[in-house]
Amino acid sequence: MSDTRDGRELAPPTEAHRLDEPRLAAYLAENIPGFSSNCTVQQFLGGQSNPTYLIEAESGSYVLRKKPPGKLLPSAHAVDREFAVISALADSAVPVPRTHLLCEDESVIGQMFYVMDYVPGRVVADPGLPGCNVVDRDGMYMSLVEVLGALHAVDYKAAGLQDFGRPSAYIARQVARWSKQYAASKLEDFPAMDRLIEWLPENNPDDERSAIVHGDYRPGNVIFDSTAPRVVSVLDWELSTIGHPFADLGYFLMPYRLRADAAINGFLGHDIAALGIPTERQLLETYAKSTGLQEVPNIDYYIAFSMFRLAAILAGVLKRGIEGSAADPRAIERGEAFKQVASSAWDIVSTIHD
């Protein structure tokens, strides 16, 4: 039987993700001051690649994130990196949950895990923010971009994250990586992707700025206040690293360049003013102000790059769906959207050419 908490669906842990709850409770009671070992554990349902649980005790509500079971790639599901970046941001202007501990001892529940506070509020996955009123949508988007700017303004060296990633040549490395991933997933020729693979490395802006990047910054990965249009916590730091801040910004702005009638939610074709959603330019101006920039140069390139990266990911989803190895039964339908996303990216590139 499932339950919901602040719009987030919960259920008893599945067989594959069941925990040794008595052992876990004893460990937490020993390592978190004031923790009550009389607690309940439920699993958040949804698309998290790192299984996530709600722990409710007399001492409060907590969230546990762990690696999934089974054999994993060495760099995958790095919950220790999530713990490191969330902990490093604790005293910054970026709202994050308070962390309590990182457990690297796999004998406790079978995998490495960390525990942080549960943050109440609203989670809205759709970028159109359905169910919210017009005034709230404007405030929520402005808060989103202000928080993103605050993240990119953090001095990552002063925060102790100087070894968290390689700051140089981030975009070049990402383009090369996802070009290889797409080649491995390719089932048929699709000219837009082939053109992007050729064009992106040749036109990479000469810009080596670096910052903490989230890697998947969007409405569905934040918690909004229950009653006010502001972000109270940023979640899902699995893809975070040190990289180019405009990669995050370009990814965040993708809906403005994608069609509303496409498989991936976009704004083109919607009257966003009537919805209360700010324009792309308004968000760019707010971002620039929050990061101390006069303007955001070459944003079209970074949006096209972000679409290319997403298209390569979706092409991999499509291949796994056709091969029958995808966990999501809608994998083929979702994966086919890579063509729409790649075509939209090439449309942007063509405009830059012009």
Side-chain angles (χ1 to χ4, degrees):
M1 181 180 293
S2 64
D3 190 10
T4 58
R5 174 67 64 89
D6 298 322
R8 288 166 270 183
E9 194 171 2
L10 292 157
T14 62
E15 183 64 34
H17 298 298
R18 192 162 292 156
L19 309 177
D20 184 339
E21 294 185 21
R23 185 163 188 176
L24 172 64
Y27 179 87
L28 298 182
E30 184 178 343
N31 291 278
I32 297 178
F35 183 88
S36 169
S37 59
N38 182 21
C39 62
T40 61
V41 178
Q42 290 181 286
Q43 185 176 357
F44 286 100
L45 303 181
Q48 302 101 336
S49 61
N50 289 328
T52 307
Y53 305 80
L54 174 66
I55 301 172
E56 295 185 284
E58 293 176 6
S59 52
S61 297
Y62 309 83
V63 171
L64 181 152
R65 281 189 39 107
K66 75 178 187 72
K67 288 191 173 190
K71 187 176 181 180
L72 306 173
L73 294 173
S75 62
H77 308 282
V79 294
D80 51 337
R81 286 177 60 82
E82 287 191 18
F83 178 83
V85 70
I86 295 170
S87 300
L89 292 170
D91 296 322
S92 74
V94 182
V96 290
R98 179 176 61 142
T99 55
H100 291 281
L101 60 83
L102 171 70
C103 177
E104 299 177 274
D105 181 357
E106 295 187 353
S107 71
V108 178
I109 60 170
Q111 294 85 28
M112 181 192 299
F113 69 90
Y114 71 93
V115 176
M116 58 187 169
D117 278 348
Y118 174 81
V119 179
R122 296 177 284 174
V123 176
V124 189
D126 189 322
L129 305 181
C132 303
N133 64 46
V134 171
V135 175
D136 272 4
R137 288 193 188 107
D138 180 82
M140 291 161 83
Y141 262 94
M142 286 303 181
S143 182
L144 277 163
V145 79
E146 287 168 357
V147 168
L148 185 60
L151 172 64
H152 295 160
V154 170
D155 183 336
Y156 63 85
K157 294 179 182 177
L161 295 174
Q162 62 274 8
D163 298 322
F164 197 61
R166 289 186 287 165
S168 61
Y170 174 77
I171 297 294
R173 286 185 282 108
Q174 285 282 300
V175 170
R177 173 188 174 185
W178 290 108
S179 295
K180 290 176 183 176
Q181 290 286 95
Y182 173 70
S185 303
K186 189 174 180 179
L187 297 171
E188 60 180 305
D189 286 336
F190 192 68
M193 283 296 282
D194 295 334
R195 292 169 188 153
L196 288 166
I197 288 170
E198 180 180 354
W199 187 89
L200 287 167
E202 294 177 354
N203 293 274
N204 190 348
D206 184 17
D207 182 350
E208 284 296 323
R209 69 188 76 207
S210 60
I212 304 169
V213 295
H214 181 276
D216 191 15
Y217 192 77
R218 54 189 172 85
N221 278 341
V222 306
I223 299 172
F224 293 102
D225 186 275
S226 297
T227 58
R230 64 185 179 90
V231 174
V232 293
S233 189
V234 182
L235 306 176
D236 293 345
W237 293 86
E238 183 182 351
L239 299 178
S240 61
T241 188
I242 305 302
H244 201 297
F246 296 168
D248 260 354
L249 183 61
Y251 181 82
F252 175 63
L253 294 174
M254 278 197 305
Y256 287 90
R257 310 296 185 94
L258 292 171
R259 298 198 325 267
D261 61 352
I264 301 296
N265 292 334
F267 292 158
L268 292 178
H270 278 317
D271 184 351
I272 61 171
L275 293 173
I277 295 174
T279 65
E280 180 184 308
R281 175 145 300 282
Q282 286 174 310
L283 293 183
L284 284 169
E285 290 172 353
T286 301
Y287 175 86
K289 184 177 179 180
S290 65
T291 52
L293 298 173
Q294 293 296 315
E295 62 177 356
V296 180
N298 304 305
I299 191 58
D300 284 353
Y301 178 92
Y302 295 102
I303 294 174
F305 156 73
S306 297
M307 288 181 174
F308 162 74
R309 173 175 168 262
L310 176 59
I313 292 170
L314 291 172
V317 171
L318 175 62
K319 183 180 182 184
R320 290 192 295 276
I322 290 175
E323 292 176 344
S325 61
D328 187 343
R330 301 166 300 170
I332 294 176
E333 178 186 351
R334 290 185 65 241
E336 283 284 358
F338 94 86
K339 297 176 182 178
Q340 296 170 333
V341 177
S343 296
S344 295
W346 186 249
D347 287 345
I348 294 172
V349 166
S350 299
T351 303
I352 297 173
H353 274 315
D354 294 342

